[in-house]
Amino acid sequence: MALNYEKMTHLNLKTHSTLDEKWVQDRIAEDPTILGLGDVILKDRERNQPRAGRLDLLLQEAEGNRRYEVEIQLGKTDESHIIRTIEYWDIERKRYPQYDHAAVIVAEEITSRFLNVIALFNGTIPLIAIQMRAVQLGNSVSLVFTTVLDQVQLGLVDEDEEVHEATDRAYWEGRGSKATVAMADELLDVLKQLDPALELKFNKFYIGLARQGQADNFVIFRPQKNSIRVEPRLKKRDEIEQKIEAAGLDVLDYDNRWNRYRIRLGKGDVKKHAELLQELFSASHAESSGNVS
């Protein structure tokens, strides 16, 4: 079937008579994934900030602990927009420190001048800049979002660095349950077949691994009330996904940020899938050690 070419018209939302900021908010609220931030859900909109106005949108990872404080501006970015975005991000991260927060600026035009200003904060303040364009094709209007500045991590800021507050077993038994923390013990037994020196290290946001007191988080665990999330750090590969799928494991979205598979295990799953889990842990350990053949 032959396809017809039809020219798109770029719309200026700042001067448009009917398409305003609320209309943009509505479209994002209907499907927050259009921003390109991954599998996120709408947590709140026009969120009250004590003595600081209202946050346009608060988004959260569907299966994670990251939140995005999103501010929308029609037209060009300006100083007040940047300051407001950072202020809302700062308020939210202090109110809810259990989440990983990122500030998101969405504007029709992100000028080179303000891109440079934003870049000065990037890494110390997790800022993401997204350019928004409204286009009309026939009687339909669409929004196109392009990330022009992504968050940059300074140095090697990941789970291996001691940036998370240390906790203890009782903390995780309260946050999860005694049964799911006991599953972490079972998983450690599987890991000890690779390295008998490994031990659990309890942090605020996950249970990691340590060897003689030094973090070695090629696998981390997140106990929940009735299950435990196991997250081996592995490059995404078809052969791994095929094995996991064939075993019938409950797999969540791949964590592209930390290069981790996220597998949810329930009662009896550690024993049932011990052989495959050991294979995954072994591959993860080899990758982390640089011993991949």
Side-chain angles (χ1 to χ4, degrees), residues 10-293:
H10 173 241
L11 302 178
N12 187 328
L13 294 176
K14 187 174 179 64
T15 60
H16 201 279
S17 59
T18 56
L19 304 181
D20 54 12
E21 185 176 320
K22 182 181 182 304
W23 178 84
V24 174
Q25 281 193 31
D26 289 341
R27 302 293 75 75
I28 298 173
E30 289 168 358
D31 180 12
T33 63
I34 63 175
L35 285 178
L37 297 171
D39 185 13
V40 293
I41 58 175
L42 177 67
K43 184 69 178 177
D44 203 356
R45 64 185 292 183
E46 292 295 329
R47 185 178 177 90
N48 248 334
Q49 303 294 308
R51 300 177 300 280
R54 293 176 181 271
L55 170 65
D56 287 341
L57 297 167
L58 177 64
L59 308 179
Q60 183 173 325
E61 286 181 335
E63 291 287 350
N65 72 328
R66 166 160 273 215
R67 284 186 168 183
Y68 297 94
E69 285 76 38
V70 181
E71 273 296 294
I72 299 166
Q73 180 169 18
L74 305 186
K76 298 179 181 181
T77 50
D78 58 32
E79 295 92 335
S80 62
H81 186 213
I82 296 173
I83 292 169
R84 189 165 61 247
T85 304
I86 293 173
E87 185 177 20
Y88 293 164
W89 162 81
D90 188 51
I91 291 171
E92 288 291 323
R93 76 182 180 93
K94 288 176 179 175
R95 290 172 67 187
Y96 302 98
Q98 68 270 36
Y99 295 100
D100 180 20
H101 296 265
V104 181
I105 295 175
V106 179
E108 285 187 273
E109 184 179 350
I110 299 175
T111 64
S112 57
R113 176 190 174 193
F114 288 104
L115 200 57
N116 291 335
V117 172
I118 292 170
L120 294 175
F121 296 108
N122 203 261
T124 53
I125 296 176
L127 272 167
I128 299 170
I130 299 176
Q131 186 161 283
M132 166 181 62
R133 290 194 179 278
V135 294
Q136 182 173 351
L137 184 61
N139 293 322
S140 299
V141 177
S142 184
L143 290 170
V144 179
F145 297 93
T146 304
T147 300
V148 296
L149 182 69
D150 208 346
Q151 179 185 351
V152 175
Q153 298 293 327
L154 293 181
L156 297 173
V157 179
D158 65 9
E159 295 97 337
D160 287 336
E161 294 196 39
E162 297 303 314
V163 295
H164 293 306
E165 179 184 343
T167 56
D168 56 19
R169 188 182 187 91
Y171 168 85
W172 276 102
E173 287 179 344
R175 182 169 171 175
S177 68
K178 288 187 176 182
T180 55
V181 174
M183 290 173 69
D185 295 328
E186 291 183 69
L187 290 159
L188 179 63
D189 289 339
V190 176
L191 283 158
K192 279 181 175 290
Q193 296 177 47
L194 293 173
D195 186 345
L198 288 173
E199 57 187 15
L200 297 178
K201 184 171 177 58
F202 296 92
N203 300 296
K204 187 172 183 179
F205 297 111
Y206 62 88
I207 298 177
L209 296 172
R211 183 188 297 100
Q212 298 178 342
Q214 296 298 312
D216 188 6
N217 295 315
F218 62 93
V219 181
I220 62 173
F221 311 114
R222 301 183 196 270
Q224 299 168 319
K225 292 300 181 184
N226 300 306
S227 61
I228 186 169
R229 266 182 26 209
V230 182
E231 303 183 13
R233 184 163 53 213
L234 274 168
K235 292 178 182 177
K236 196 172 185 181
R237 297 198 295 270
D238 289 341
E239 60 186 88
I240 294 175
E241 295 185 6
Q242 288 167 6
K243 288 180 180 180
I244 293 174
E245 185 177 344
L249 288 169
D250 184 5
V251 185
L252 307 176
D253 289 342
Y254 183 79
D255 185 346
N256 288 296
R257 185 184 182 199
W258 300 118
N259 296 325
R260 290 188 181 277
Y261 281 92
R262 303 192 301 169
I263 302 167
R264 184 159 46 204
L265 301 178
K267 185 178 180 181
D269 281 344
V270 177
K271 184 176 181 181
K272 180 180 178 182
H273 299 289
E275 186 176 341
L276 176 58
L277 289 169
Q278 186 175 32
E279 184 178 346
L280 295 174
F281 295 163
S282 179
S284 177
H285 183 265
E287 279 192 16
S288 297
S289 304
N291 297 324
V292 184
S293 58

